[in-house]
Amino acid sequence: MPRRIDPPADLDAVRASYDRVAANYVAMGAGELGPHPWLRAVLGAFAETVRERGPVLDVGCGPGFVTAHLAGLGVDVAGVDLSPGMVAQARRLHPGLRFDVAPATDLGLADGSLGGVLGWWSLFNLPRDVLPAVLRSFAEALVPGGQVLVGTHVGEGDLVRTQGYGGVPVTWTTHLWLPGQLTAVFADAGLEPVAELRLPADASGHPQVAVTARRPG
């Protein structure tokens, strides 16, 4: 039975914020992969590894740009997002793919049901005491050899955001992680390291990291 994870206290505020920015996010091309060859390379390696192991879930899929990219690489992939507004955009832009509304803390994942899980710059709003439980739920949902790929902002501390994507009012916190801290959380979740890509600061002003780990077996 999937374990229960208590939702973050700011869940409703974060959901409403992403609903408000969804249209601008798409209009501004946020999250598109065209300018980012190294990120496409990471996704390509992930796709090659997981596509024969079972379905993949893109958690925090936003408007589905990365979900669609993985589908184009032959992955059996579906997307899920906290924000109904983001999911509406994903369904509009990618009508041939499946997208559902749910938070990362309440996915109801069955043990051994997935070949891969993606958290592509989508988990940084989870508080530090919540992310470990979410990663454990991902690990339990993987088949042996299945992989989790997480990308996030690097740094120390937390950033409270009040505006985003064209000045739209938002209420969310970006929780920064050092790469070593993140890999330790993966290990505590029972996942073995596979690869790590570090990138310099982007428009957010912070370096970035993509970490891949696998369920042993």
Side-chain angles (χ1 to χ4, degrees):
M1 177 180 296
R3 72 173 71 208
R4 173 179 169 76
I5 303 173
D6 291 332
D10 62 351
L11 181 73
D12 291 339
V14 173
R15 177 191 290 115
S17 296
Y18 280 103
D19 281 346
R20 287 194 295 272
V21 302
N24 275 13
Y25 188 100
V26 172
M28 296 170 67
E32 292 187 353
L33 292 166
H36 304 292
W38 284 102
L39 296 184
R40 294 198 305 275
V42 169
L43 290 167
F46 177 70
E48 183 175 338
T49 304
V50 302
R51 63 185 163 215
E52 301 301 327
R53 297 186 180 274
V56 170
L57 188 62
D58 181 3
V59 179
C61 64
F65 295 137
V66 178
T67 321
H69 183 78
L70 289 176
L73 296 174
V75 177
D76 175 12
V77 61
V80 63
D81 200 279
L82 166 72
S83 161
M86 285 291 192
V87 168
Q89 294 287 342
R91 289 170 175 167
R92 177 182 66 84
L93 293 166
H94 315 288
L97 299 177
R98 177 184 168 187
F99 297 97
D100 295 306
V101 178
T105 51
D106 190 20
L107 296 175
L109 301 176
D111 288 358
S113 60
L114 297 172
V117 182
L118 183 67
W120 193 252
W121 278 267
S122 60
L123 304 178
F124 57 77
N125 295 132
L126 293 175
R128 297 181 191 283
D129 61 344
V130 174
L131 181 64
V134 168
L135 289 179
R136 281 194 297 273
S137 74
F138 291 174
E140 291 165 358
L142 291 175
V143 299
Q147 293 190 2
V148 176
L149 170 58
V150 171
T152 197
H153 306 288
V154 172
E156 297 183 86
D158 304 321
L159 302 175
V160 177
R161 294 284 301 275
T162 58
Q163 290 187 336
Y165 303 105
V168 177
V170 300
T171 303
W172 74 58
T173 301
T174 297
H175 300 280
L176 303 174
W177 288 85
L178 296 174
Q181 295 173 332
L182 194 59
T183 54
V185 176
F186 272 81
D188 288 344
L191 295 162
E192 296 178 343
V194 172
E196 180 182 307
L197 174 66
R198 301 191 189 191
L199 298 162
D202 66 359
S204 72
H206 291 276
Q208 310 294 308
V209 68
V211 177
T212 312
R214 71 183 191 99
R215 181 173 180 171

